[in-house]
Amino acid sequence: MRIASGARVVLCGALSQYGQYGNMHGPKNYLNLISKKASMTGFVVSQFASEFEAGVKDLTAWYTEGKLNYEIHILNGGLEEAAGALSLLFDRQNQGKLVVKVSHDPIYETVNVTAKL
């Protein structure tokens, strides 16, 4: 692990490890944290609820300025696609945000996204 002295490593979520009972993978060479005087801390998004409003403002500005790049993987088959969407999610077969379209939503008509159909 190449890491700067005094570095802070942040952990949030472990979706790729769900269902990997007995075969979970984590950071390799984590003992380098000791020699580099670094730290590793987990967090849960809800602990920052007081900052959500400011975050939405920042993200909106960055989106408007074209500073955000992202992909949305849209399944158009309605609720019937929900089980298949979960399989894609847990098998890591989706690209970007995974959305099951169950009705017409104008946001996906106006937002410029890279959609995988």
Side-chain angles (χ1 to χ4, degrees):
M1 172 187 323
R2 300 179 117 195
I3 194 166
S5 183
R8 293 175 292 168
V9 178
V10 179
L11 303 173
C12 180
L15 186 62
S16 67
Q17 300 301 301
Y18 293 174
Q20 300 293 322
Y21 309 107
N23 191 25
M24 297 182 110
H25 300 284
K28 297 196 182 336
N29 298 324
Y30 70 91
L31 293 175
N32 286 340
L33 294 169
I34 298 167
S35 64
K36 292 294 189 169
K37 298 175 284 308
S39 64
M40 185 179 295
T41 305
F43 76 96
V44 179
V45 172
S46 61
Q47 78 188 71
F48 297 99
S50 64
E51 299 179 43
F52 285 1
E53 186 176 337
V56 168
K57 286 180 183 175
D58 287 343
L59 288 167
T60 301
W62 297 334
Y63 174 77
T64 302
E65 296 165 8
K67 293 181 177 179
L68 296 180
N69 297 311
Y70 58 93
E71 291 187 35
I72 297 180
H73 185 151
I74 302 172
L75 299 175
N76 288 306
L79 222 47
E80 295 79 22
E81 293 285 343
L86 285 175
S87 292
L88 286 173
L89 185 67
F90 289 117
D91 291 340
R92 295 176 275 165
Q93 299 299 313
N94 64 299
Q95 294 291 321
K97 177 185 260 187
L98 182 58
V99 174
V100 176
K101 188 172 183 179
V102 295
S103 67
H104 174 73
D105 188 338
I107 192 169
Y108 294 110
E109 307 301 327
T110 59
V111 174
N112 184 19
V113 299
T114 303
K116 306 271 188 196
L117 302 177

